[in-house]
Amino acid sequence: MTLAFIADFFRWINGPWMPDDAGGFSDNVDALNGFVMFVSYFFTVLIGGLMIFFAIKFRQKDKNEVAKGITHSTPLEIAWTLPPMLIVLVIFAVGFRGYMDMSTPPRAGNAYEIRAVANKWDWNFHYPNGAVTKKLFVPSDRPTKLTLESVDVLHSLFVPAMRAKKDVVPGRFNVMWFEPDPSVVSSDDPEKYEAAYPLHCTEYCGQGHSQMNTELVVVDGSQWEAKLEEINIWNPDRLPPAELGAIVYANNCASCHSVDGAANTGPTWKDLYGKQNYAMAVGETVAVVDDNYILNSIRQPNLQKAVGFEGANMSAYGEGVIKSGDVRALIEYMKTLSVHHPNGADLDAFPDDYEGDTAIDATGATSE
């Protein structure tokens, strides 16, 4: 009871500046941060007060006064050495315990496992049922274990509300875990089935680093299976191809490609589709920017770089990230942006039974 009261006191010391608390490792992190803040406040007041006191008490009263000699004091040496050492040892012990907790995920089967893939400059979260989302959805009634991987450069996944952070390193897998506080959602109120919190990349990864943000969504345990089915449905609102393409663009492409002619990391999409004799960095030209060129630029983007973008390296978007239906949607959207295709989108609607997994052309015909 006493330790709980002390921990609550130190968490109170933090004030209103800490991020939202949704569980995870917040108890340990917030209490330790509050302790460090308390020590800082205490010694700032103590040392500052002593400086003022000594400045007044020992001020020069007479210009002819000679200062007395200063002698060594062993008790004083111990007094200002031992307490700081003990404080540092406490910080180390509590911090090490918290670090070991963060670094030791639950045993297999005791946590819901999700694969988190980072690339410049977005996140893709892969679930065991095959769903892929830009936001991270996790159940409220069990721990979540993330297997982290990067397809290009160094990233770092940080969820402030969980006080959880881990580097995402190319060429290796890292693991992180956390367990939400079930009280942040409610099974009794449909408006509280879900609770959303910021998720950031906190390792500088290039020009679009500041845009590499998304959300962690905690889902009430009673609604988890329904949510899994929902996020695994492709184009659930049955949007027209061009309209869906605008959403896919915003989620995946907007950080590098503009649609208004503005300069960016990659070529602008304004007036790109249908452009003839498109110059490549290797000295060749593409006769016309058509469906095949766009598909290849998504799946193998660094094989044919446009002039002026030789130094830009785009991550490849495979079928597991952008489905064939999404590619068709992007193409139809690009048509609406180009003067070279004045009729706009050719495909007005996807077939009723189409689920986005197979290639589809501008007539609506699919191929296995």
Side-chain angles (χ1 to χ4, degrees), residues 115 124-126 130-133 299 317-324:
R115 187 165 64 98
N124 290 284
F125 301 100
H126 300 252
V132 181
T133 62
R299 301 298 192 217
Y317 286 78
E319 182 69 29
V321 179
I322 295 183
K323 292 189 173 185
S324 295

Side-chain angles (χ1 to χ4, degrees), residues 13-333:
I13 289 289
N14 288 314
W17 300 282
M18 296 296 283
D20 291 335
D21 178 359
F25 305 102
S26 59
D27 285 348
N28 180 281
V29 171
D30 290 4
L32 183 57
N33 186 79
F35 176 71
V36 173
M37 295 292 289
F38 174 80
V39 170
S40 301
Y41 296 151
F42 176 80
F43 280 105
T44 296
V45 173
L46 176 64
I47 295 172
L50 288 174
M51 289 175 62
I52 294 173
F53 172 76
F54 290 145
I56 296 175
K57 180 176 177 58
F58 298 105
R59 69 187 185 278
Q60 187 180 39
K61 301 181 178 64
D62 186 342
K63 292 183 179 181
N64 298 318
E65 183 178 2
V66 178
K68 297 179 180 179
I70 300 174
T71 61
H72 174 77
S73 173
T74 299
L76 185 60
E77 294 281 356
I78 294 174
W80 68 43
T81 301
L82 189 58
M85 183 179 69
L86 293 176
I87 290 171
V88 170
L89 288 176
V90 169
I91 293 174
F92 172 79
V94 176
F96 182 74
R97 180 181 177 184
Y99 169 78
M100 292 303 296
D101 188 23
M102 293 178 182
S103 303
T104 310
R107 292 178 180 272
N110 295 334
Y112 191 81
E113 299 192 17
I114 301 172
R115 187 165 64 98
V117 181
N119 61 273
K120 297 188 296 187
W121 286 280
D122 64 4
W123 299 97
N124 290 284
F125 301 100
H126 300 252
Y127 302 81
N129 70 340
V132 181
T133 62
K134 296 296 180 183
K135 295 181 180 180
L136 174 58
F137 294 89
V138 302
S140 67
D141 58 356
R142 73 198 85 165
T144 293
K145 176 182 175 182
L146 298 178
T147 300
L148 311 173
E149 58 183 287
S150 170
V151 300
D152 41 45
V153 298
L154 181 64
H155 301 278
S156 186
L157 192 153
F158 177 43
V159 185
M162 297 293 169
R163 313 299 192 261
K165 174 186 176 295
K166 196 79 169 182
D167 283 352
V168 189
V169 184
R172 63 175 293 181
F173 297 102
N174 268 353
V175 173
M176 67 181 293
W177 77 281
F178 51 80
E179 184 172 4
D181 180 353
S183 66
V184 301
V185 292
S186 171
S187 59
D188 300 324
D189 185 353
E191 294 185 358
K192 296 182 179 179
Y193 282 166
E194 300 180 3
Y197 303 94
L199 185 155
H200 308 289
C201 174
T202 50
E203 190 72 44
Y204 182 72
C205 52
Q207 182 178 356
H209 166 68
S210 61
Q211 303 172 37
M212 198 170 170
N213 306 305
T214 184
E215 287 184 332
L216 164 76
V217 181
V218 180
V219 181
D220 182 74
S222 66
Q223 305 298 315
W224 179 242
E225 294 302 325
K227 173 57 68 173
L228 283 177
E229 293 183 9
E230 176 188 327
I231 63 178
N232 201 28
I233 298 175
W234 181 79
N235 192 15
D237 298 323
R238 309 311 295 177
L239 296 174
E243 190 173 336
L244 175 63
I247 296 175
V248 177
Y249 161 80
N251 289 336
N252 296 277
C253 316
S255 61
C256 297
H257 301 277
S258 72
V259 294
D260 59 1
N264 209 327
T265 306
T268 181
W269 286 8
K270 180 177 176 60
D271 300 331
L272 180 59
Y273 187 88
K275 188 173 184 178
Q276 297 182 355
N277 298 322
Y278 191 42
M280 297 290 102
V282 293
E284 301 175 352
T285 59
V286 172
V288 60
V289 177
D290 57 7
D291 296 11
N292 288 328
Y293 174 78
I294 294 172
L295 173 62
N296 291 333
S297 296
I298 292 172
R299 301 298 192 217
Q300 298 177 301
N302 298 313
L303 293 182
Q304 289 182 302
K305 294 183 180 181
V307 168
F309 300 95
E310 296 86 344
N313 289 308
M314 173 179 163
S315 300
Y317 286 78
E319 182 69 29
V321 179
I322 295 183
K323 292 189 173 185
S324 295
D326 295 325
V327 173
R328 172 50 52 189
L330 285 173
I331 292 172
E332 298 303 317
Y333 174 58

